[in-house]
Amino acid sequence: MITSKISFGINPQMKKLAEELVPSYIRSLKPYAAGKPIDELAREKGFERITKLASNENPLGPSPFAVREMTNGLWELHRYPDMHGYRLKKALSDLYNLKMENIILGSGSEAILALIAKTFLRPNQEILTSENTFIGFYIVARGVGAKLNMVPLKDYKFDVKKMAESIDDKTKIIYLANPNNPTGTFITKDEFDYLMDHVPDHVLVILDEAYFEFAKNDPTYPDSMTYRYDNVITLRTFSKAYGLAGIRIGYGFGHEDLIGQLTKVKLPFEPNLIAQLGACGALMDSPHLQRTLDNNKKQFARTFNFLKEKGFNPIPSITNFICIKTGSGKASDWLNNGLLNQGVIIRALKSNEMPEYIRVSIGTPSEMDHFFEAMENIIPEYDKKFGLKK
Ligand SMILES: Cc1ncc(COP(=O)(O)O)c(C=O)c1O
């Protein structure tokens, strides 16, 4: 019986070799810091009650329709998935009145971001975006050696005026997350149109609408599928409002010539069979989506009011999460640890270059009760150490 783990041995050459194998822009990458998994905290602390409010997931879980479709699909696992994703593309094309050739599917919208980078970007080509937006995009862009030009946020929003002024001959791609993660803010139709008026036709705009379902009912939100610019690729996901983050599925929509190039580069059998089926099931269950939105609305209001009443600075958000200004990296870490010690996982935003902020996702009523209780337990000491608004 083998008792010890297989060892690759101590080889002083390996570090050097591994570094030499990659270009400098990969050597300097920092890996993505995700929300702490529930199992990890359970292993570390032995807690039974754990509430994860760290990754903007759907607290109600997936739709039963999605689970049924995925379960039925398990008996087809010996077959490769449909590489054209016909059923899902058809469902999306019916729902959003799109042509199927304008849709691309991916293993999460992040995989489509990576595909766009691989297809359209070369080392040293320039991207215009904002500071403090989705870090997954920064990693993808840096991973192909692109240069990121970042405009600071203004009032926690993309500063479309500054962005418009920053477009130059070298700008190849513009990335916008609308709504933005981690601030939860959005740019309006007027702001989006203003920016697009300044974007030359040869510049590609990636419009990441991962939180679209939460924002879509605001009349000033620019749902980019309903009014089109040919140089815009819209990205959406089943990870958030549809509750399928674990199975990895997202989609993009854009001009067929752009989508056609992406389709050539995409790994043919992504997204996997079960993911495609789950997404089809999720689209059949609009009551589940509505329950998700209703829960979010109620629990968002409770959470926002709680934070304000206690003297915190929550940023108004149109999404399923709230970004809170703590004022310092120390205060953010203290809160994060104080909550972790009581089984509540939130996100400190150090890796988003926002150390003086934290982010809390909206959960079920009982998950938010857990958050409120845990906060109540540490607020007096927090107030003494860092001070709250009276
Ligand atoms: C703005 C934004 N875009 C994309 C993603 C990635 O979503 P997916 O799970 O579809 O890869 C996220 C996830 O947090 C996000 O916040």
Side-chain angles (χ1 to χ4, degrees):
M1 194 174 70
I2 299 172
T3 51
S4 63
K5 297 245 164 73
I6 293 172
S7 164
F8 283 95
I10 298 165
N11 182 347
Q13 297 302 314
M14 252 350 260
K15 190 170 189 307
K16 194 159 163 273
L17 173 65
E19 285 190 356
E20 278 170 9
L21 283 171
V22 296
S24 60
Y25 54 82
I26 293 191
R27 230 172 288 146
S28 58
L29 274 186
K30 287 195 202 108
Y32 184 79
K36 198 180 199 47
I38 292 176
D39 280 358
E40 191 178 309
L41 187 63
R43 273 195 309 273
E44 284 170 7
K45 310 255 186 201
F47 289 145
E48 280 183 11
R49 186 184 183 200
I50 294 182
T51 294
K52 184 179 176 213
L53 304 172
S55 302
N56 310 335
E57 295 147 343
N58 183 337
L60 305 187
S63 144
F65 283 52
V67 174
R68 187 193 62 201
E69 291 293 309
M70 291 191 284
T71 311
N72 290 343
L74 294 176
W75 293 104
E76 292 299 317
L77 280 180
H78 57 305
R79 303 284 179 207
Y80 282 96
D82 173 7
M83 64 177 273
H84 303 295
Y86 180 85
R87 248 188 88 191
L88 179 55
K89 282 191 189 167
K90 176 84 177 60
L92 287 166
S93 82
D94 291 347
L95 182 62
Y96 293 118
N97 195 24
L98 307 170
K99 287 201 215 126
M100 284 169 67
E101 62 261 37
N102 294 114
I103 304 173
I104 181 121
L105 306 178
S107 300
S109 51
E110 216 167 348
I112 307 176
L113 280 174
L115 182 62
I116 291 173
K118 190 172 164 188
T119 311
F120 297 128
L121 281 171
R122 297 292 157 262
N124 299 317
Q125 289 187 331
E126 298 197 9
I127 294 173
L128 177 64
T129 186
S130 182
E131 290 176 1
N132 312 127
T133 184
F134 179 49
I135 43 175
F137 178 69
Y138 298 148
I139 294 176
V140 154
R142 289 186 178 125
V144 295
K147 186 171 167 237
L148 284 165
N149 296 319
M150 296 190 265
V151 170
L153 294 176
K154 188 174 178 208
D155 300 328
Y156 300 113
K157 283 168 57 165
F158 273 77
D159 184 346
V160 287
K161 199 153 178 285
K162 269 268 158 54
M163 286 190 77
E165 285 163 15
S166 307
I167 298 168
D168 63 22
D169 291 349
K170 292 196 179 145
T171 308
K172 183 153 186 213
I173 288 187
I174 296 178
Y175 171 80
L176 300 168
N178 201 36
N180 188 36
N181 174 18
T183 55
T185 51
F186 73 104
I187 56 168
T188 61
K189 278 181 185 157
D190 288 348
E191 289 164 328
F192 180 57
D193 285 337
Y194 171 87
L195 178 63
M196 290 308 294
D197 278 347
H198 292 80
V199 176
D201 289 345
H202 65 269
V203 172
L204 175 65
V205 177
I206 305 173
L207 193 45
D208 184 338
E209 294 182 345
Y211 302 93
F212 158 77
E213 290 80 7
F214 298 102
K216 67 175 189 236
N217 290 332
D218 188 302
T220 65
Y221 175 74
D223 162 1
S224 67
M225 276 201 200
T226 53
Y227 68 110
R228 290 306 305 172
Y229 291 94
D230 283 345
N231 54 336
V232 174
I233 296 183
T234 301
L235 297 183
R236 294 199 186 150
T237 183
F238 287 90
S239 297
K240 307 297 177 185
Y242 285 107
L244 290 174
I247 202 84
R248 313 301 303 124
I249 186 152
Y251 59 99
F253 167 70
H255 193 277
E256 53 265 36
D257 291 339
L258 296 171
I259 297 296
Q261 298 299 337
L262 292 175
T263 306
K264 287 194 251 171
V265 179
K266 185 178 91 64
L267 291 178
F269 297 114
E270 284 189 2
N272 71 67
L273 169 72
I274 304 297
Q276 292 187 34
L277 291 171
C280 288
L283 289 179
M284 289 174 207
D285 195 356
S286 40
H288 184 73
L289 178 63
Q290 194 53 50
R291 277 193 295 278
T292 301
L293 300 182
D294 292 345
N295 173 71
N296 189 64
K297 196 168 174 190
K298 277 199 198 116
Q299 299 313 311
F300 183 104
R302 271 182 86 202
T303 310
F304 199 84
N305 293 339
F306 170 89
L307 291 164
K308 277 216 102 123
E309 258 169 39
K310 298 294 170 189
F312 285 93
N313 283 307
I315 300 170
S317 155
I318 199 167
T319 63
N320 62 340
F321 58 87
I322 302 177
C323 186
I324 303 154
K325 183 171 186 185
T326 62
S328 74
K330 272 198 178 143
S332 300
D333 286 346
W334 193 92
L335 266 183
N336 189 32
N337 289 331
L339 291 170
L340 269 184
N341 286 334
Q342 300 176 79
V344 178
I345 312 172
I346 58 147
R347 185 73 77 95
L349 294 176
K350 205 185 297 170
S351 56
N352 295 64
E353 311 284 326
M354 295 175 75
E356 68 280 33
Y357 294 83
I358 57 169
R359 195 192 65 198
V360 179
S361 308
I362 301 303
T364 60
S366 68
E367 286 174 331
M368 293 330 291
D369 288 344
H370 190 187
F371 171 70
F372 300 151
E373 277 164 39
M375 286 290 277
E376 295 277 15
N377 291 338
I378 56 174
I379 279 175
E381 207 182 330
Y382 180 86
D383 191 19
K384 263 194 234 149
K385 275 182 183 300
F386 304 104
L388 284 165
K389 269 190 274 172
K390 293 289 171 304

